[in-house]
Amino acid sequence: MSPVGRPLRPRGKLLQEDARRHHRSLLLQQLFREGPASRADLARTSGLTRVTVSDLVGELVGEGLVEELGAPAEARVGKPPTLVGLAADSTHIVALDLSADDRMSGAVVNLAGQVQARHELPIDGAQGADAVELVHRLASELIAMTDRPVLGVGVGSPGVVDAAGTVIDAPNLAWTDTPLSTSLAEALGLPVFVANDANTAVLGEHTFGQTGDGGLLVLRVGIGVGAGLVLEGSLLHGHLGAAGEIGHVTVDPDGDECACGRRGCLETILAAPRLRRRLAAPGADRAAVLTEVGERLGATLAPVVGTLNIHELVLSGPTELLDGPLREAADRVIRERTMPVSSAGLAVRTSTLGDDVVLVGAAVLVLSGQLGVS
Amino acid sequence: MSPVGRPLRPRGKLLQEDARRHHRSLLLQQLFREGPASRADLARTSGLTRVTVSDLVGELVGEGLVEELGAPAEARVGKPPTLVGLAADSTHIVALDLSADDRMSGAVVNLAGQVQARHELPIDGAQGADAVELVHRLASELIAMTDRPVLGVGVGSPGVVDAAGTVIDAPNLAWTDTPLSTSLAEALGLPVFVANDANTAVLGEHTFGQTGDGGLLVLRVGIGVGAGLVLEGSLLHGHLGAAGEIGHVTVDPDGDECACGRRGCLETILAAPRLRRRLAAPGADRAAVLTEVGERLGATLAPVVGTLNIHELVLSGPTELLDGPLREAADRVIRERTMPVSSAGLAVRTSTLGDDVVLVGAAVLVLSGQLGVS
DNA sequence: CCGAATAAGTAAGTGCGCTGAACTAACAAA
DNA sequence: TTTGTTAGTTCAGCGCACTTACTTATTCGG
């Protein structure tokens, strides 16, 4: 035996109500991941009795979240089951991605993670309160774009975001200690979940990408560089939400100067604008540059991969930069620099969700927070 | 809001019985960390009602785990409370440390983590089944050394240990897929918990060291080098229990050959025997060597510290090697190579528990597994 | 074609664990 | 002594999931 998964210390009291919610989530989770099933199937997989499952399913059907789908085609002995499945469009989610520097984009997403409508607003240099106002507008306009009830609003924001959904620090938008979650929730009258964009990205990838059960690290490359991690099935926050701040780890003490005042941060070689500039320089050997950057990235990530037993490393950002010599070099160096036990199960790839990772991940924030599903 | 702490997906069904156990742990935890308290105090801090607390405390007193301590000295308004406290010696724990190469050591530990008796057996080159036999003997002899009931047996073993307590691979003892936990539990008729020695070390430090709430990494330096991590209040296992395998991360591609067949692994510069040999070489400048090793260690750990928002880095092993220029250099380089947000809250130090970390941590395995306390 | 077997789903009753409200006990201050 | 405050207990009741027993719906073997 060994203490696995469970936090070392108990947190807070546990009501019967919590048990009920937990079991509700258990069923929703099953339907979410494995698709329609009969009540009896749900009872078998969840370990609950058929009675309890029927009761819970009845409740969910009453709410419209789950719908009866009739009997399956194949005929077996006994009474044919009635399949029930998640009603993906019974409720919609509003998801926002604030990580671009020129616009805020958002979408209406259904419970299956499919984008139903899109909308965006240009930032036009808005900062501070103006930028908050812009977020409010974007959210409201998206809510108006669906006729379904809205389960909640999920936001992937740049910068450091704490567990309460307050943006501690986001230089681009000039936000410091901005209680985005609270103000949005108040204005909209809906549950709002805010997290760092790299964190929502890793959630999106974890839930809707082709990922396994091992540790997952998503490296987001854009204006800056950030990472999000899912370890042991949980999102890693760090003490003040500062986990994943890999962009300003030094990769070369003698490297270029960085905006943070130090030298040779990962961002100085990997952030998209910097890297593009370097590739556009006269006489630059594209493959050589990308390989060199990939190698440095690999050397930086190797200790992380080895220490955390990461199984999947996903590069998210401009594919034309990331998915070629850069990825290959990073992959190779990580394998060279970690023991086979660690690297054997490792996959290094680019995101299958493309530019929507953050958006879809923001929806996962809501799915997870409201339904306990991911 | 943001999904915090809670795993993203619900795991398994939840009985009322579990709620009861959870609340039991909640009270034990409070008594364990904050010392004696009245029933009313417990009710306030736990959020449970006085009724429920009284009931649970009654149960715990009945089992002997908790005892009434009478009224406190100071007089306040109202009926004076009766303090209750953990009966530290009501039950004992048998803890084993198998990480040394020449002997297996063990201890009888009380619920407060205090060592009550020690015992050890020389390994004398025992391997495979013989080594397992030796563990059985050590455990039995320790159980015979206390007259109190034994809560359980905790084992810190070298090598990779999975969540079920099976030693997947431990070269020194020639164990592969050895179900140590199961075989011990069967032979002794007691609950047995087995984990990797670095993992037990981090548990020991987390529970009995002067640690805060942030991420904690314990680096164990001995014959090999390994790490254990506590993140967000949970022990990190990795997919097959392979988290913390930092010893064979390459720090210098052109370095010395390593037992694993590759070159320049962290172990080749940091493992105690290697480092001692290098320091003993004629003409070696002790401070310079230790500083250089510390710098390399810092460079390796910087990405890990930055990415995980580690708050405490504890070096555990021979103090005369670790606690001087080496620690200082590592500390300095990590600070140079991570952004101030990450490194500001960081403390780099050696263990306050000395050689007993693994042993005490093995006891924590039992405390956590059996009482939900840590 | 009909009973036996099998499986899904429903209904009623039971037990467990927690809660709120009321109650007793023990003290300090007025 | 009275009043107010705090600690701890008793008791009725509620929510949740369980067990048991039943109905419904189908296939299979004779």
Side-chain angles (χ1 to χ4, degrees):
Chain A
M1 284 186 276
S2 167
V4 60
R6 187 172 45 75
L8 294 168
R9 306 171 186 168
R11 314 190 227 243
K13 72 169 167 177
L14 206 58
L15 265 35
Q16 291 168 245
E17 197 187 324
D18 297 317
R20 182 107 177 145
R21 224 196 333 275
H22 180 89
H23 291 152
R24 238 178 85 107
S25 295
L26 209 58
L27 301 187
L28 285 172
Q29 178 72 38
Q30 173 75 14
L31 296 175
F32 180 73
R33 295 205 78 83
E34 311 293 335
S38 74
R39 292 169 171 79
D41 286 336
L42 291 173
R44 277 185 289 265
T45 53
S46 68
L48 296 166
T49 60
R50 290 207 305 274
V51 182
T52 307
V53 170
S54 271
D55 191 32
L56 283 164
V57 167
E59 190 178 296
L60 292 169
V61 169
E63 293 173 29
L65 277 171
V66 160
E67 54 193 359
E68 294 207 342
L69 302 170
E74 9 113 32
R76 271 178 308 154
V77 198
K79 175 179 172 179
T82 31
L83 295 179
V84 293
L86 211 60
D89 284 291
S90 60
T91 308
H92 283 159
I93 294 169
V94 166
L96 310 183
D97 176 358
L98 315 183
S99 67
D101 61 339
D102 57 339
R103 64 189 184 284
M104 294 181 174
S105 50
V108 173
V109 180
N110 72 5
L111 298 185
Q114 293 154 339
V115 172
Q116 308 293 65
R118 292 178 189 276
H119 186 38
E120 57 180 54
L121 293 176
I123 293 183
D124 275 338
Q127 291 202 321
D130 292 345
V132 172
E133 185 47 40
L134 210 58
V135 178
H136 280 231
R137 245 186 65 205
L138 181 57
S140 310
E141 291 176 8
L142 277 160
I143 292 171
M145 288 169 72
T146 171
D147 54 347
R148 306 301 163 93
V150 174
L151 187 62
V153 177
V155 184
S157 164
V160 176
V161 184
D162 76 2
T166 296
V167 181
I168 304 292
D169 183 47
N172 285 342
L173 297 168
W175 285 345
T176 36
D177 293 320
T178 305
L180 193 58
S181 170
T182 321
S183 80
L184 263 178
E186 214 162 288
L188 304 172
L190 286 172
V192 177
F193 301 83
V194 182
N196 171 273
D197 61 319
N199 281 344
T200 63
V202 77
L203 284 178
E205 196 65 39
H206 178 65
T207 301
F208 293 109
Q210 276 85 55
T211 58
D213 280 340
L216 170 65
L217 190 156
V218 171
L219 189 77
R220 253 187 84 67
V221 177
I223 318 166
V225 174
L229 293 103
V230 169
L231 298 173
E232 324 261 290
S234 301
L235 181 63
L236 185 75
H237 283 84
H239 195 222
L240 293 165
E245 293 296 324
I246 200 177
H248 295 281
V249 167
T250 306
V251 293
D252 176 9
D254 309 318
D256 291 350
E257 204 166 311
C258 178
C260 74
R262 290 158 49 251
R263 293 193 155 274
C265 296
L266 182 58
E267 278 196 12
T268 63
I269 63 162
L270 189 58
R274 296 255 200 176
L275 185 50
R276 287 219 175 86
R277 207 177 313 146
R278 191 165 155 208
L279 288 171
D285 177 343
R286 185 178 172 88
V289 167
L290 290 174
T291 300
E292 188 229 305
V293 170
E295 283 172 348
R296 283 195 185 277
L297 175 63
T300 308
L301 287 179
V304 179
V305 169
T307 309
L308 300 182
N309 196 217
I310 296 278
H311 269 65
E312 272 161 313
L313 173 58
V314 173
L315 305 177
S316 157
T319 329
E320 80 277 10
L321 296 177
L322 301 177
D323 192 17
L326 195 153
R327 183 184 55 73
E328 284 155 25
D331 192 348
R332 174 172 50 78
V333 170
I334 291 174
R335 278 174 215 285
E336 283 168 9
R337 290 185 161 233
T338 56
M339 65 193 296
V341 160
S342 308
S343 54
L346 176 73
V348 179
R349 56 180 177 79
T350 50
S351 175
T352 49
L353 298 172
D355 291 338
D356 281 348
V357 235
V358 174
L359 218 49
V360 170
V364 173
L365 273 179
V366 179
L367 280 172
S368 168
Q370 289 290 92
L371 304 181
V373 154
S374 78
Chain B
M1 285 186 274
S2 167
V4 59
R6 186 173 48 75
L8 293 168
R9 303 169 187 171
R11 316 191 224 241
K13 72 168 166 176
L14 206 59
L15 266 34
Q16 289 170 252
E17 197 187 324
D18 297 315
R20 182 92 175 160
R21 224 195 335 272
H22 179 89
H23 292 151
R24 236 179 88 105
S25 296
L26 210 57
L27 301 187
L28 286 172
Q29 178 71 37
Q30 173 73 14
L31 296 175
F32 180 73
R33 294 205 78 83
E34 311 292 334
S38 73
R39 292 170 172 79
D41 286 336
L42 290 172
R44 276 186 288 267
T45 54
S46 68
L48 297 165
T49 59
R50 292 202 305 272
V51 182
T52 307
V53 171
S54 273
D55 190 34
L56 283 163
V57 167
E59 191 179 296
L60 292 168
V61 169
E63 291 171 30
L65 277 172
V66 161
E67 55 193 359
E68 294 207 343
L69 303 170
E74 8 112 33
R76 270 179 308 152
V77 196
K79 174 179 172 179
T82 29
L83 294 179
V84 294
L86 211 59
D89 284 292
S90 59
T91 308
H92 283 159
I93 294 170
V94 166
L96 309 183
D97 176 359
L98 315 183
S99 68
D101 63 337
D102 57 339
R103 66 191 183 284
M104 293 180 176
S105 51
V108 172
V109 180
N110 72 5
L111 299 186
Q114 292 154 339
V115 172
Q116 308 292 66
R118 293 178 187 275
H119 184 41
E120 58 178 54
L121 294 175
I123 292 183
D124 276 340
Q127 291 202 318
D130 291 346
V132 172
E133 185 48 40
L134 210 58
V135 177
H136 281 229
R137 245 188 65 208
L138 179 58
S140 309
E141 291 176 9
L142 276 160
I143 291 169
M145 288 169 71
T146 172
D147 54 348
R148 305 300 163 95
V150 174
L151 186 64
V153 178
V155 185
S157 164
V160 176
V161 183
D162 76 4
T166 297
V167 181
I168 303 290
D169 183 46
N172 285 343
L173 297 167
W175 284 345
T176 37
D177 293 319
T178 306
L180 193 58
S181 169
T182 321
S183 81
L184 262 178
E186 215 163 287
L188 304 173
L190 286 172
V192 177
F193 301 83
V194 183
N196 170 272
D197 60 321
N199 281 343
T200 63
V202 75
L203 283 178
E205 195 64 40
H206 177 66
T207 301
F208 293 109
Q210 276 84 54
T211 59
D213 279 342
L216 170 65
L217 191 155
V218 170
L219 189 77
R220 251 188 85 66
V221 177
I223 319 163
V225 173
L229 294 102
V230 168
L231 298 173
E232 325 262 289
S234 300
L235 181 64
L236 185 77
H237 283 86
H239 196 220
L240 293 163
E245 292 297 323
I246 200 177
H248 295 282
V249 167
T250 307
V251 292
D252 176 10
D254 309 318
D256 291 350
E257 204 165 313
C258 176
C260 73
R262 290 159 48 252
R263 290 194 158 274
C265 296
L266 182 59
E267 277 196 12
T268 62
I269 62 162
L270 189 57
R274 296 255 200 174
L275 186 50
R276 286 218 175 85
R277 206 177 314 145
R278 194 167 152 206
L279 289 171
D285 176 344
R286 186 179 171 84
V289 166
L290 290 175
T291 300
E292 187 228 306
V293 170
E295 283 172 348
R296 282 193 185 278
L297 174 63
T300 307
L301 288 179
V304 178
V305 169
T307 308
L308 301 182
N309 197 216
I310 297 278
H311 270 64
E312 271 160 314
L313 172 58
V314 173
L315 306 177
S316 156
T319 329
E320 79 278 10
L321 296 176
L322 300 178
D323 193 18
L326 195 152
R327 183 184 56 72
E328 284 153 25
D331 192 347
R332 174 172 49 77
V333 170
I334 291 175
R335 278 175 215 285
E336 284 168 8
R337 291 187 161 230
T338 55
M339 63 193 296
V341 162
S342 307
S343 54
L346 175 74
V348 179
R349 56 181 179 80
T350 50
S351 175
T352 48
L353 300 171
D355 291 340
D356 281 347
V357 232
V358 174
L359 217 50
V360 170
V364 174
L365 273 180
V366 179
L367 280 173
S368 167
Q370 289 290 94
L371 303 182
V373 155
S374 79

